[in-house]
Amino acid sequence: MQLEKINGNSYYIPAPTNIGVFQFKDKYTLLIDSGDNKQQARKIDELVQDRGLMIKHIANTHSHSDHAGGNLYFQEHYPGCLIYASAEEQFFIENGTFFSTYLYGASPIKELSRHFLKAHGNIIHSTLEPGTSRINDEKFEVISLPGHALGSIALGTRDRVCYLGDALFSEEIIEKYSMPFLFDIEAQLRSYDRIAELDYDFFVLSHAAKIYSQAEIIDLININRANVKHYLGLSLELMAQPKTREELLEELSILKDLHFDFKEYYFSLSTTGAIIAYLYHREQLDYQIESGKLYYYQKG
């Protein structure tokens, strides 16, 4: 790990989940996300300390454990550390077991729940609303970008750097996973439009090997949107014949050569549900229940 300067006082730490770092005049820092677990958080801490800086603030772009899993480490090692998130994501961060509960739809099977326990016990000290927010007397733009998560946000700094979290996926992530996790597709499509309007020079994605310029981010928006539209069109085509949610995921996985472990299966099943909900709300699907199964199908 190393701390890389982007512009002015805005930095980032390249990692499996990239960590944003903003340096205040008093040598305190704001982290944008905190890593996946205590081990990653410790490495982030050591790296920041080696630069003579102190971690005082953390802003979580959303609640997923690879973004908020290090919160507890910093709360334990820096009792005065203040943590921020959107109001929608606060509940998930403070109740670390709930994400697996809503993925599973009941009290979750242990193979699913154990991955998310690392974020349990966090406390959010203040919620961030869209617009201008002050942290340590510095202004940041808070941008609401739901879709991947219910209350996903991005943070923009005065250095014209915008930390997007998972509101947008890099080319390599789309190539690797093809069908990334989405909670609300209609909201995600609106968020693409919102990102296209942002006036920043540098954009940091949580899972990308580079920093994007404004021109590059427009191209990436188009790639992300085209990928979502592809899955919507393919799903609608497949439901020319009635399909259960699980059957739709099965056919998508065969056609797109998707491979899952236990956790990834439930992420993909949730995305499949988001696809069905989007098409149903646009009155492109109907449903029927037969022999204990719920089938969705194209409207004639």
Side-chain angles (χ1 to χ4, degrees), residues 62 64 67 102 145-150 152 166-167 169 180-184 188:
H62 58 294
H64 296 168
H67 296 261
Y102 93 68
L145 296 173
H148 176 68
L150 182 64
S152 292
D166 283 346
F169 296 116
F181 176 73
L182 292 176
F183 176 79
D184 184 333
Q188 183 65 64

Side-chain angles (χ1 to χ4, degrees), residues 130-165:
T132 301
S133 287
R134 282 187 175 273
I135 299 175
N136 199 30
D137 207 33
E138 180 77 35
K139 290 182 179 179
F140 296 88
E141 183 182 10
V142 179
I143 306 140
S144 176
L145 296 173
H148 176 68
L150 182 64
S152 292
I153 58 171
L155 256 69
T157 76
R158 59 178 167 81
D159 301 318
R160 298 186 60 76
V161 177
C162 185
Y163 299 90
L164 286 174

Side-chain angles (χ1 to χ4, degrees), residues 51-283:
R51 295 290 295 265
L53 305 174
M54 293 286 289
I55 296 165
K56 181 67 179 291
H57 307 270
I58 298 172
N60 293 134
T61 59
H62 58 294
S63 60
H64 296 168
S65 58
D66 58 325
H67 296 261
N71 286 8
L72 196 56
Y73 170 90
F74 290 108
Q75 287 185 326
E76 291 172 347
H77 289 77
Y78 296 91
C81 183
L82 302 175
I83 301 182
Y84 311 83
S86 69
E88 295 87 349
E89 295 299 291
Q90 178 182 10
F91 178 82
F92 291 95
I93 293 172
E94 292 185 339
N95 300 274
T97 60
F98 193 75
F99 182 72
S100 56
T101 299
Y102 93 68
L103 274 181
Y104 190 67
S107 179
I109 195 166
K110 63 182 180 181
E111 281 80 0
L112 186 63
S113 62
R114 69 161 62 101
H115 179 78
F116 303 101
L117 291 175
K118 67 187 75 170
H120 185 64
N122 292 316
I123 297 173
I124 299 299
H125 298 91
S126 183
T127 56
L128 296 172
E129 300 294 333
T132 301
S133 287
R134 282 187 175 273
I135 299 175
N136 199 30
D137 207 33
E138 180 77 35
K139 290 182 179 179
F140 296 88
E141 183 182 10
V142 179
I143 306 140
S144 176
L145 296 173
H148 176 68
L150 182 64
S152 292
I153 58 171
L155 256 69
T157 76
R158 59 178 167 81
D159 301 318
R160 298 186 60 76
V161 177
C162 185
Y163 299 90
L164 286 174
D166 283 346
L168 207 59
F169 296 116
S170 64
E171 299 97 322
E172 57 263 33
I173 289 295
I174 292 175
E175 183 177 347
K176 182 177 180 179
Y177 294 106
S178 181
M179 192 171 78
F181 176 73
L182 292 176
F183 176 79
D184 184 333
I185 287 177
E186 184 172 354
Q188 183 65 64
L189 293 173
R190 289 197 301 268
S191 289
Y192 293 152
D193 294 335
R194 179 71 182 95
I195 297 168
E197 297 170 350
L198 297 177
D199 185 21
Y200 288 92
D201 294 330
F202 308 96
F203 291 85
V204 183
L205 278 61
S206 290
H207 306 287
K210 59 178 283 186
I211 303 298
Y212 287 80
S213 68
Q214 192 170 43
E216 290 172 326
I217 215 71
I218 296 298
D219 291 338
L220 190 59
I221 290 167
N222 292 334
I223 292 170
N224 276 255
R225 183 184 283 111
N227 188 55
V228 172
K229 292 289 183 71
H230 170 71
Y231 273 97
L232 290 171
L234 179 57
S235 297
L236 186 60
E237 180 181 332
L238 289 171
M239 285 186 286
Q241 298 297 321
K243 299 280 188 302
T244 67
R245 181 170 169 177
E246 290 79 6
E247 288 169 347
L248 176 59
L249 177 56
E250 178 187 11
E251 294 210 16
L252 288 172
S253 68
I254 292 169
L255 288 172
K256 301 298 294 183
D257 196 27
L258 306 176
H259 302 279
F260 318 117
D261 61 21
F262 193 90
K263 174 174 62 72
E264 289 163 353
Y265 174 83
Y266 276 96
F267 275 105
S268 298
L269 186 62
S270 183
T271 302
T272 305
I275 289 171
I276 290 171
Y278 178 85
L279 295 171
Y280 184 83
H281 293 153
R282 293 173 67 86
E283 299 186 349

